[in-house]
Structures are given as structure tokens and as C-alpha cells.
Amino acid sequence: MGGMSLPVRLLWGREDRILPPKYAEWLHQRIPHAELHWIEGAGHLLQEDALGQLLAHLTAGFPTDR
């Protein structure tokens, strides 16, 4: 994953019990230039727990200075 050059946005529920937050941090450390965004009050299924926040992140543009 260290060779990835595409922009990456990691979206992770703070209350995820299937893949706890430590896994998000692990991925974030290994993907260069990745953005990590925490979704408060959400678990593993962001599309059910926080659909509005998920859609806002998915439709937001990536920074263009890369």
C-alpha cells in the first residue's frame, strides 16, 4: 500500500466493533497521503448508522495540491 499514489479517504465509525478504530489507524499509517475521517456514533455499517455523513464525505472533492 505504500506505493499508492491515488488519493485515499478512509471513513471509519468510532464505534466499529467488527474492525475497531485501531485498524483505521493501522491503515492510515500505511497509505501515503491518506485522509482519515472519524464518524462519531457510527459502527461498521456507515450506510446505516450515518448515511448523511457518509454521502457528504463521498461527494466532497479531494485536495488538488497533490
Side-chain angles (χ1 to χ4, degrees):
M1 290 182 283
M4 292 178 68
S5 61
L6 296 172
V8 174
R9 181 172 292 145
L10 299 169
L11 306 173
W12 218 275
R14 278 270 194 208
E15 309 303 321
D16 192 334
R17 291 183 288 159
I18 295 171
L19 291 171
K22 68 180 181 181
Y23 292 100
E25 293 164 359
W26 184 88
L27 275 175
H28 186 230
Q29 292 171 358
R30 285 160 177 78
I31 302 173
H33 312 293
E35 301 174 359
L36 174 57
H37 299 274
W38 296 108
I39 307 297
E40 299 295 333
H44 190 72
L45 297 175
L46 297 178
Q47 69 274 21
E48 291 183 12
D49 297 341
L51 181 59
Q53 290 180 66
L54 173 62
L55 291 174
H57 282 287
L58 291 176
T59 58
F62 281 98
T64 58
D65 62 343
R66 297 186 202 258

